[in-house]
Every structure is written in structure tokens, then in C-alpha cells.
Amino acid sequence: MSQLADPNLRTRLNQESLLRRITNRIRQTLELEEIITTTTAEVRCLLGTDRVMIYQFHTDGTGKVVAESIHEQRLPSLLGLNFPADDIPPYARELFIKSRVRSVVNVELQQIGHSPMSVLETGELKPEDIRYRPVDPCHAEYLTAMGVKSCVVAPIFHQHQLWGLLVSHHSQAHSISLYELEAMQMVVDQLSVAIAQSYLLAQARAKAERESVINRIATLLHSLPTIVLQPALEAAVAAFQGVGGRLCMRNEAFQAANNQIKSLKECLIPGSDCIQIYTSGQQPEIPPDTIYPLMEQYNVWQEYYQSGEYDVWAIDDIYQTASLRTLQPTFKPTKIRSLLMIPLCYRQQLVGYLSIFRNEIDTETLWAGQFDRDRRQLYPRLSFDVWKESKTAQAQQWTDADIELARELAKHFASAIQQYELYQQVQGFNQNLEHQVKRRTVELERTYQQQQAVFGVIAKIRESLDIDQIFQITTKEVCQLVKGDRVSVYRFTADWGGEFVGDFEATSPHWTNESKIGVNTVWNDTYLQKTEGGRYRHNETLAVDDIYHMGFNQCHLDNLEYYHIHAFVLAPIFVGQKLWGLLCTYQHSGPREWKPSEVNFLSQIAAQLGIALQQADLLAQTQQQAQKLTAALHELQTTQTQLIQTEKMSSLGQLVAGVAHEINNPVNFIYGNLSHVREYADDLLGMLNLYQKQYPKPSEEISDRLEDIDLEFLSQDLPKTLSSMSFGVERIRQIVMSLRNFSRLDEAEMKVVDIHEGLDSTLLILQHRLKSKSDGADIQVIQEYGDLPLVECYAGQLNQVFMNVLSNAIDALEYHPESTSATHQRQISIRTTVGEMNKNVPSVVIYIKDNGLGIPEAVKTRVFDPFFTTKPVGKGTGLGLSISYQIVVDKHGGIFQCDSQPGQGTEFRIEVPIQQSIHT
């Protein structure tokens, strides 16, 4: 049964009009997406079917619907969905390619018709009639599952390759005329032209974009006077859509001595300092303990390019490239998956590497129905619903365009690096020339500098009388000006022996110190001892160019050789009329010809040093007298302070001990009898209760009396009163014990005590000062006691230290301007811990801190000075902290420090050894 139907004249004219619109649209635009979208809509109107779509083949045989037009949603959309390669069998593809066959299927009639194209003698294609045969049941079942009753398929070619298919689907049986089939053929022919034009446009755009990238990077590389490579590297990484990159190149590899430049391979040897690396973005993580700190130092690059052909190496997947297995661990911590290695070659010479990195990606593909990719589909799919296939950690492939771009960029980078190396060579030549000019200029200026140095020494002597400073500066300047290996000061002793004294020695930084001369080295010359200074007594300067040309005896030569001396100048130093010593300038590296200007310069310096010594002696005598007067005054103040404090503490201790003893006896009497009183009261109340039980009805007189005395209240209140009295007496006993513990009159000698007991006793005595004197809050005491051992100390004196520090802390909080503020909580914290002093001596540390205003920096340096106080007149003597310092540091060999920041409070640190026997 034929599917062909002759259309009437009006239908034929409408079809021709639609065909002209399709052809005009294809000719009007070069945008492929717009062309195929318009074409599907026009063809669907031309054929009057439910769906027309364009199917494009991928390189792996699969395909995708890239354009679609549906009439009134009669069939589901397949736009953007992919189809596996098995959906179009190989024999069907062969028919499309070899015969360019058009296919017509009628599912209801179970027929499939093919209309091949024959080649005429002119080379043109001529469509033949449709020849029908039974349709393959699998094919019919496939179309039925899609909801299609009839379909028409025409192949689309591009450059003699099967590019895609123009497909028409109808949900009902639909006839197609040979004219309509010819019209479809004309459409696909026009599509082939449009695809070719679109591809040419895409190639032109890609070429223009590539040239724009190349020009932009070339501009970065060549537009500046000095080559700046970092921006060019970053632009190259962006051009390849990479996540990171590296530029490895030679740096300062030119050797002016032999006029040669090291190869890149030599520069990449581990330990070489003539390689430079620029990085951008993500980088491989090289282990810190590897012998190859750079990626480019691995042998894989040398092995790959050992043939000398330096072409781009495109690595799609690092982990699938066996030769990179040594480098794979460096990329494991990153997501880098693809690598483009671009060798930079200039005139057959490798000058560097440019590397581009790409991360792994996650892919997502939409398929028309779920299928098994791992094995061929044996039966047609029953559903074409969207099936999403997701893959993670996929490598991105480098395209031919990427490789071509890399080759072009390699030329520009190599040229820029070559220019950079040439620039470095020119700079090196210029520096060498400047060095020669400077060296000759120095020789002309040296004499002038020597004279200026003499004037400078004279000026320093006038500005300062510190002989050590004068000698150190002088020897250093002399060493620099005369370019000697060593300049030292030698002092004669009473027997005309001598030694190299003090830190007056200066050595040249360009000479390796192998000589055995050093500070305080004794060198007794028998000739000088016998002659009492020899020629130097007559103010003569000795200059020796070479010790072996002076006729020295062997003993003298042996001595000079022992100290590695080859040449020297010795200038005498006189203090008044007496020879004091010598200014010694030595050459250890070899003989030297001393110029007359240099010898004269050294003689002048030695004379000025003698004047400085004479002035320093006068200054030292004056300073010694001043120090004696200062020491006597300090001793007088210390003695006065100790006498005042000793008398004060003695009187206070006796008073406290007497009061405590007088209070203790009556308190003990009351405390001892309170238990009996409580027992008697309990017995009387018990007896009264017993009477009430035996005689529940008392007489009228007794009842009146009970009502007057309120027996019930008296029975309840009497035990409470006795308890309150007991508590009060116990409180008095604690205060008395604290007074005795604080005074420690019975413990004047050193003994082992509990530090915490002394702190608690001091706090109890100061309890009244911790209470608020106004509406403000009490001072809060925070005790953070550590686990301390018993401490060997003068307990009474340490308690005095605690009393002074805590009293000062309370004073600081009382004077605090915010002490009455409701938002400021006044606090004193006491923290104790075990520590360790110098020389590993075990100790205990007590920290006492307040949150007052703190102490200014200018005041903090004087808090331990005698008679210094910041309190108002009449509020303090200025002796408390000074005496506390003597008790802690002098008496106990401990540490007493003050740390304070304005606005943050003050903290005192008291540290004493646990055993005084260790201290002594």
C-alpha cells in the first residue's frame, strides 16, 4: 500500500512558500542555533506532523536532540536529551552514509520505506522512489514506546560526514508525498550549507579569540623596559581555563668569567641557585624532605624531551600516565587532574617550562530513558523519561585548539625569557664596569678618608670619655680604611710583657679568622722586656711588608708564624710621657706593601688613643670618688630604713602578742564554759517538759508566770542564743590566733611554715578593711591556692610582706574612681603555685593582684625605692615595699617583682626558695 498522496495546487503552493521561508532564514543568519530552531518549526508546519527535531551525532556515536518543534504538546519533549549509539544500528548508519537514504516508517502498517539518492552523470544527487519492506519488530516496538505511529528521517551531512538527522514524528499514521520528501531533502541540503558556514564562523571567532589572547600576553611580555613575567603567566592560566600554572626559567645563569651561560638542565640540578620559578593559582605539594624541591627537577621531563624535539605534552589524566607515577603523590592533596607541559625553546635551546593545571570536574548527562552502558541493549527501552547520569572526578581533555594555542604562546614566552637573559647579561657587564671604576676611585679617595678618619677620632674623643667605646669605634674604622685583616690594642705590663686586651679587636669581614690571636692573649717579647719597650720608647712606628725579608731571628719568625702573621704595622701609644701600649695592624692573608700614607695614618691614630687614655684616667678617678659617695649615702639610707622598721616591728609584735595573750585567757574561760551552760540549759528545758507532761494543768499563778515569760519562745530562743555566743567566741579565738601567727614572736628564727596559714592570718586581720565603708560593694578576695610544700623562711617577716602588699592593694581599690560604681567589682586575687628559680632551685610563687587603676610606667620603676610613695601626705611612709623587697630578695634570696598596666590593675610576684639551705 502506497503512502504517497498527490497534494492539490493550494497545498503545493503553501509548501513552496514554507520552503522559501526556510531557505531565506538559513541564508540570513550564520548562528547555527537560530537556524536549526527556525528550521524545525518551519518543517513541522510543512509536514503537518506532531514533532520535528534535529538530532546531532557525537564523536563516540551517541547523539543529542539539539532542536525541536512540537505541535500542541502531542508528544513529549526530547530537547537536550542524549541517545546511546545502539539506538541507531551500524547498518542503518551505513545506509545513511553510503546511499544517503531517507527513511519513512508506518507503525500501524508495519512498513518501512527507504528513498535512496542516486548520483547523476553531472555529479548531482537524484532522489529515487520509496521502496517499502516490513519494518523490524524491534524498530516498531522502539517507536511505539516513544508514542510515535509514523516517522520520517533525513540524514544531514557536513564535509561528507554524517552530522545528524532531521526527524519528523507523528502520533497517528501519516502519509508523506514524494514532494514533501524532496522538500525535506532541500532543507537538509540547506542545513549542510548553514552548518558549514556556522563552523567557518566558529573557527574564525576561535582564531580571533586565540589571536587576541596571544596579543594580550605578548603585550604583557614585551611592553615593559624590564620583562615582567608574573602577569603574563596569570593571563596564560586564564586563557586555558586552568586553576594554576608555573613558569620555570634560568636566572643569572650567565658566567662572565668564561662568557658562557648554563643550560636549563644544569640549572635544574638540586642545590643550584640559577633557577627561578613563577607560580599562579593551585600548585602541587612537594614533600619538604624530598631531594627535588621543584616539580621541574623530576627526571620525567628530561626523559620525555631527551630526543631534543620540544613539543607540547598534553596530559589529560595525570593518574593514567605511567611515566608520572613519581609525581602523582604531589598532586594527590589537590584536585589537579590534567597537565599541559609546554617547553619553551629558543633557537633549538630549551630555556624554560610553562605548565598549566586543570582540576577534575563532575559531569552530568541527561539521557532519553535509562540504559546499560556496559552491555548492548538487547531489547528496546520501555520508557524515554529523562535519566540523569552523574560522574565525579573526571579529567578534562586538552583540545587541538588548546595545543595550538600553547605552541604559539611558547614562542612568545621563550622570546621574552631570551630577552630577559640578555638584559641580565648587559646588567652584569655594566656592574663589572662600574665595579672597576669604583675600585680606582677608592684608591684616590683613601688618603682623604684617612685624614677624615683622624679628625673623626679626635671628634669622638672630645664627645665621649668612654675609653671602651672610643677604642672599639677606632679599631673598626682603622680596619676598614687600611683594609687590614686585624687591628688590635696591645698593652704593656709592669715587666714590659703584654697582652691583647678588652674587646678592642676588629677583623675584616672578607678574611677567614684562622689566627690564634684573640682577646686577652698574652704575648711576652723578650726583646721588649729587656729593652723596656725597645724602639717604641722613642715613639717609632715599625712597618713590616714581609716578615721573611726583615732579617728576624728564627725564634721571632717562629712566634710570628705561630700566629699566622705575614705583615704588620706597630704604632706606639703614649699616655703622657709613658709608653702604654701598641696599636697593632696585622696582615694574615699574605705579605703586603704598606704605603707611607697608611703608616703615617696609623701613627696619628695611636697618638690620639694615648690622649683618650689620659682623659679616661682622669674621668675614672672622678667617677670612683662619686661612686664612693653614692655608696655611702645608699648604705646610710639602708641602715636608717632597717633601724626604723626593726623598732617598728619589735614594738608592734610585742603589742600584738600582749593583747592576744590578755584576750586569750578570758576568751578560753568563756569558750570552755559555754558547753556546760548549753548542757545545763538542755537539762532544765528537759526537766520543764517532763513537769508539763506529768502536771498538764498547772496552777493559776504558774500559768500567769508562763504567759509573762513566754516559755515557748524562751525554749526555742535560748539554744539559738547559746549557739550565737559560741560562734562569736570562736571568731574571737580565730582573730587572737591570727594575731599570734602574724606576729610570730616565738618564731624569730628561720623555720618551716605553711605559707597559706600566713596569708589567711593576714587576710583575717585586714578583714575590716575589705568591708565597704559606703554603699559600694565589698572588696572580693579570690583565693587560688596551689598544693604547696612547707617553706623554710622567716615567717614573721614574710607575713609583714603579705601585709604590706595586701594593704597597698586595698589602698589602690579604695582610691579607684570607679570603686563606688555598681558596674565595677573590686577584686583582689591571691594565687600560689610551685616554681623553679635560677639554677633549678625549687621555689613557691605567690601572685597578689588587684583590678585598680594600675601604676604608670614612670612610677613603676621607683616602687621599691625607700621613702617613695604616691599616697597623700600622712597616708604612707614609703618604706613598706622597700622593706618588703629587702626581706624577699636579701633575706630569703628570692624574687620580688611588680607588673602593672595602666587601667588593668597591678600584680606583685613574690618567689622564695622552698629550702634556704639551697639558697645559702
Side-chain angles (χ1 to χ4, degrees):
M1 178 179 179
S2 174
Q3 286 183 317
L4 294 176
D6 292 330
N8 55 34
L9 181 60
R10 183 178 297 274
T11 302
R12 190 178 184 88
L13 292 175
N14 290 337
Q15 291 173 345
E16 291 178 354
S17 176
L18 289 174
L19 184 59
R20 281 196 303 272
R21 291 199 301 270
I22 294 173
T23 304
N24 290 335
R25 181 60 62 90
I26 291 175
R27 292 174 177 175
Q28 289 173 359
T29 180
L30 294 176
E31 297 297 336
L32 183 60
E33 183 177 355
E34 182 180 348
I35 292 173
I36 61 178
T37 301
T38 303
T39 300
T40 54
E42 298 290 358
V43 171
R44 187 188 59 74
C45 292
L46 174 68
L47 301 180
T49 55
D50 293 335
R51 175 171 59 201
V52 172
M53 63 184 185
I54 294 178
Y55 179 88
Q56 182 182 359
F57 287 105
H58 298 153
T59 56
D60 60 353
T62 62
K64 180 180 180 181
V65 177
V66 296
E68 180 183 63
S69 177
I70 303 175
H71 180 59
E72 296 180 351
Q73 305 300 320
R74 291 181 180 178
L75 289 175
S77 175
L78 299 176
L79 183 63
L81 300 185
N82 292 269
F83 289 78
D86 295 342
D87 282 15
I88 302 178
Y91 71 87
R93 295 173 188 257
E94 289 295 323
L95 285 175
F96 286 135
I97 295 172
K98 291 183 177 180
S99 302
R100 302 202 174 189
V101 68
R102 285 81 52 81
S103 175
V104 180
V105 179
N106 191 319
V107 178
E108 287 187 350
L109 298 178
Q110 295 293 304
Q111 288 184 340
I112 181 171
H114 290 157
S115 174
M117 302 288 289
S118 61
V119 181
L120 300 177
E121 294 180 358
T122 60
E124 297 179 356
L125 296 176
K126 178 183 178 181
E128 298 181 357
D129 294 338
I130 303 176
R131 296 190 291 272
Y132 288 93
R133 63 174 176 80
V135 69
D136 187 279
C138 184
H139 191 179
E141 186 178 350
Y142 182 90
L143 293 175
T144 302
M146 294 182 70
V148 176
K149 295 298 184 181
S150 65
C151 76
V152 181
V153 180
I156 305 171
F157 286 87
H158 172 60
Q159 295 181 349
H160 306 291
Q161 299 292 327
L162 183 61
W163 182 89
L165 304 173
L166 177 62
V167 183
S168 173
H169 286 160
H170 205 67
S171 59
Q172 302 296 328
H174 182 74
S175 298
I176 184 170
S177 66
L178 185 60
Y179 173 76
E180 291 174 329
L181 198 60
E182 292 175 354
M184 284 187 67
Q185 183 61 44
M186 293 181 66
V187 170
V188 298
D189 289 343
Q190 292 298 323
L191 280 175
S192 296
V193 175
I195 291 171
Q197 293 177 346
S198 178
Y199 275 31
L200 289 175
L201 175 63
Q203 291 175 2
R205 288 175 176 174
K207 182 178 180 181
E209 176 63 24
R210 183 171 67 253
E211 290 178 352
S212 175
V213 170
I214 294 173
N215 291 336
R216 184 167 62 253
I217 294 177
T219 301
L220 291 172
L221 288 172
H222 301 294
S223 62
L224 297 174
T226 57
I227 307 301
V228 181
L229 298 171
Q230 184 65 34
L233 172 62
E234 295 173 357
V237 173
F240 289 100
Q241 292 83 46
V243 297
R246 295 169 64 88
L247 177 60
C248 173
M249 54 177 282
R250 296 179 299 193
N251 181 48
E252 298 182 359
F254 178 72
Q255 298 173 322
N258 52 18
N259 200 24
Q260 291 182 352
I261 187 170
K262 293 183 180 179
S263 67
L264 181 64
K265 185 176 181 180
E266 292 176 311
C267 293
L268 285 173
I269 296 175
S272 175
D273 58 352
C274 58
I275 202 72
Q276 187 169 2
I277 299 293
Y278 294 88
T279 62
S280 173
Q282 296 185 25
Q283 299 294 315
E285 297 184 10
I286 307 295
D289 54 348
T290 183
I291 62 173
Y292 300 124
L294 302 177
M295 182 185 80
E296 293 77 9
Q297 291 175 328
Y298 282 72
N299 292 333
V300 60
W301 317 119
Q302 285 74 22
E303 293 174 359
Y304 186 81
Y305 294 111
Q306 62 183 353
S307 64
E309 296 182 2
Y310 301 109
D311 198 5
V312 176
W313 187 9
I315 303 168
D316 293 333
D317 193 338
I318 295 171
Y319 304 105
Q320 299 299 323
T321 306
S323 58
L324 293 178
R325 61 179 177 271
T326 56
L327 259 177
Q328 289 170 2
T330 66
F331 290 96
K332 283 290 185 182
T334 72
K335 290 189 176 183
I336 297 175
R337 192 84 175 198
S338 304
L339 169 62
L340 192 64
M341 177 55 64
I342 308 172
L344 307 179
C345 183
Y346 186 82
R347 295 182 179 178
Q348 306 302 319
Q349 184 181 13
L350 189 65
V351 297
Y353 289 112
L354 175 63
S355 311
I356 306 295
F357 307 125
R358 278 182 180 172
N359 275 353
E360 60 191 19
I361 60 173
D362 299 335
T363 61
E364 186 176 271
T365 308
L366 299 180
W367 295 94
Q370 186 173 1
F371 71 99
D372 191 347
R373 178 186 287 272
D374 297 330
R375 60 187 179 86
R376 184 182 178 86
Q377 291 287 130
L378 300 180
Y379 302 99
R381 297 193 298 284
L382 300 179
S383 172
F384 286 85
D385 293 337
V386 178
W387 176 55
K388 184 185 296 184
E389 181 185 28
S390 300
K391 295 182 179 180
T392 59
Q394 299 297 299
Q396 301 185 61
Q397 294 185 347
W398 301 102
T399 64
D400 293 341
D402 291 333
I403 296 174
E404 185 62 28
L405 177 61
R407 289 171 179 160
E408 292 295 325
L409 291 180
K411 298 176 184 178
H412 289 279
F413 270 95
S415 175
I417 291 174
Q418 180 66 17
Q419 292 180 22
Y420 181 73
E421 290 180 346
L422 290 175
Y423 175 77
Q424 285 187 326
Q425 293 178 25
V426 173
Q427 289 293 101
F429 286 129
N430 290 339
Q431 290 177 358
N432 188 28
L433 180 60
E434 290 177 1
H435 178 71
Q436 293 179 5
V437 172
K438 288 181 179 179
R439 185 177 57 187
R440 294 178 181 178
T441 303
V442 167
E443 294 176 357
L444 297 176
E445 294 179 349
R446 183 171 299 171
T447 303
Y448 173 77
Q449 291 177 350
Q450 290 175 353
Q451 293 301 319
Q452 292 297 318
V454 173
F455 298 147
V457 171
I458 296 173
K460 289 182 176 64
I461 292 174
R462 293 175 178 176
E463 292 173 359
S464 174
L465 293 176
D466 185 352
I467 193 62
D468 289 350
Q469 182 180 1
I470 293 173
F471 275 27
Q472 288 170 359
I473 294 175
T474 302
T475 54
K476 182 178 180 181
E477 290 184 355
V478 169
C479 187
Q480 291 177 350
L481 289 172
V482 302
K483 305 300 181 184
D485 290 339
R486 183 192 301 273
V487 176
S488 302
V489 175
Y490 179 85
R491 181 176 61 189
F492 287 108
T493 56
D495 61 351
W496 294 100
E499 63 181 359
F500 294 92
V501 295
D503 295 328
F504 305 152
E505 181 180 80
T507 58
S508 172
H510 306 292
W511 169 74
T512 302
N513 187 355
E514 297 178 351
S515 172
K516 297 181 181 180
I517 298 178
V519 174
N520 298 327
T521 297
V522 176
W523 189 350
N524 292 326
D525 190 314
T526 55
Y527 168 76
L528 295 178
Q529 289 179 306
K530 292 178 181 179
T531 60
E532 296 183 352
R535 71 183 72 192
Y536 306 112
R537 292 185 59 189
H538 306 291
N539 201 12
E540 295 181 11
T541 299
L542 176 63
V544 176
D545 296 339
D546 189 338
I547 61 174
Y548 300 107
H549 296 165
M550 293 297 295
F552 293 141
N553 59 42
Q554 190 60 43
C555 179
H556 196 181
L557 285 176
D558 292 341
N559 202 14
L560 294 173
E561 289 175 348
Y562 177 79
Y563 292 111
H564 300 280
I565 297 174
H566 294 278
F568 60 88
V569 176
L570 303 180
I573 301 174
F574 279 85
V575 176
Q577 300 299 322
K578 181 180 180 181
L579 179 63
W580 181 90
L582 302 173
L583 177 63
C584 310
T585 304
Y586 295 110
Q587 199 72 18
H588 300 285
S589 55
R592 171 175 176 172
E593 181 181 356
W594 300 100
K595 299 178 181 179
S597 61
E598 294 174 335
V599 177
N600 182 49
F601 167 72
L602 293 172
S603 299
Q604 291 177 348
I605 295 296
Q608 295 301 324
L609 288 179
I611 296 173
L613 280 171
Q614 189 173 11
Q615 292 180 351
D617 287 342
L618 295 175
L619 176 63
Q621 295 175 10
T622 304
Q623 289 177 341
Q624 288 177 1
Q625 294 178 357
Q627 288 175 357
K628 290 180 180 179
L629 292 175
T630 302
L633 179 61
H634 179 72
E635 183 179 357
L636 178 62
Q637 289 179 339
T638 302
T639 303
Q640 182 183 11
T641 302
Q642 291 176 348
L643 289 174
I644 295 173
Q645 185 61 21
T646 301
E647 183 64 26
K648 175 182 176 182
M649 291 308 299
S650 175
S651 301
L652 179 61
Q654 292 176 4
L655 175 62
V656 169
V659 171
H661 178 72
E662 293 299 327
I663 297 175
N664 193 46
N665 289 335
V667 169
N668 285 338
F669 172 77
I670 297 172
Y671 183 79
N673 287 302
L674 274 176
S675 60
H676 300 297
V677 173
R678 182 181 292 107
E679 183 179 352
Y680 297 156
D682 291 341
D683 291 342
L684 291 175
L685 292 174
M687 178 61 71
L688 182 58
N689 289 333
L690 184 59
Y691 266 100
Q692 288 176 337
K693 289 180 182 180
Q694 296 296 329
Y695 302 102
K697 294 182 179 181
S699 63
E700 182 177 355
E701 183 179 0
I702 293 176
S703 297
D704 294 339
R705 184 58 178 166
L706 290 176
E707 184 176 355
D708 292 340
I709 66 174
D710 195 355
L711 180 61
E712 183 179 357
F713 171 77
L714 188 146
S715 300
Q716 296 176 357
D717 191 57
L718 181 58
K720 296 179 181 179
T721 302
L722 292 174
S723 297
S724 298
M725 294 173 63
S726 178
F727 177 78
V729 172
E730 179 63 26
R731 177 67 174 167
I732 296 174
R733 292 182 71 249
Q734 291 177 358
I735 293 174
V736 171
M737 290 298 297
S738 297
L739 290 173
R740 295 186 61 190
N741 290 337
F742 179 77
S743 63
R744 297 280 187 178
L745 288 180
D746 54 342
E747 300 175 7
E749 298 298 328
M750 187 175 293
K751 64 180 301 183
V752 176
V753 297
D754 184 358
I755 292 295
H756 291 159
E757 181 181 334
L759 287 168
D760 292 339
S761 299
T762 306
L763 286 173
L764 188 60
I765 294 172
L766 295 173
Q767 189 68 34
H768 70 286
R769 294 200 60 192
L770 299 174
K771 300 296 182 180
S772 175
K773 298 180 180 179
S774 60
D775 295 336
D778 296 344
I779 297 176
Q780 181 183 1
V781 179
I782 301 174
Q783 296 169 270
E784 300 178 9
Y785 288 169
D787 187 10
L788 300 184
L790 296 180
V791 179
E792 183 181 10
C793 64
Y794 296 101
Q797 295 184 13
L798 273 187
N799 288 344
Q800 180 185 355
V801 174
F802 299 152
M803 175 67 75
N804 288 333
V805 176
L806 287 170
S807 296
N808 283 340
I810 294 172
D811 291 341
L813 293 175
E814 287 180 349
Y815 299 149
H816 198 298
E818 299 178 357
S819 61
T820 58
S821 175
T823 60
H824 180 76
Q825 174 61 55
R826 301 181 298 174
Q827 291 181 350
I828 296 176
S829 61
I830 305 174
R831 180 167 61 91
T832 63
T833 183
V834 177
E836 190 175 271
M837 298 177 60
N838 297 334
K839 300 180 181 179
N840 301 325
V841 176
S843 63
V844 294
V845 188
I846 303 98
Y847 298 92
I848 301 176
K849 182 178 181 181
D850 64 73
N851 62 344
L853 281 176
I855 302 175
E857 189 67 27
V859 175
K860 186 171 66 174
T861 58
R862 301 188 58 194
V863 293
F864 298 123
D865 292 349
F867 306 107
F868 177 78
T869 180
T870 59
K871 298 177 183 178
V873 177
K875 296 294 185 179
T877 63
L879 295 174
L881 292 180
S882 173
I883 294 172
S884 299
Y885 186 88
Q886 294 177 5
I887 293 173
V888 174
V889 178
D890 298 338
K891 284 270 189 175
H892 293 85
I895 298 173
F896 192 24
Q897 295 176 337
C898 173
D899 184 17
S900 180
Q901 296 293 333
Q904 299 181 11
T906 304
E907 182 180 69
F908 284 90
R909 177 174 177 268
I910 304 167
E911 183 174 6
V912 295
I914 295 176
Q915 296 181 5
Q916 287 296 314
S917 57
I918 296 179
H919 166 61
T920 56

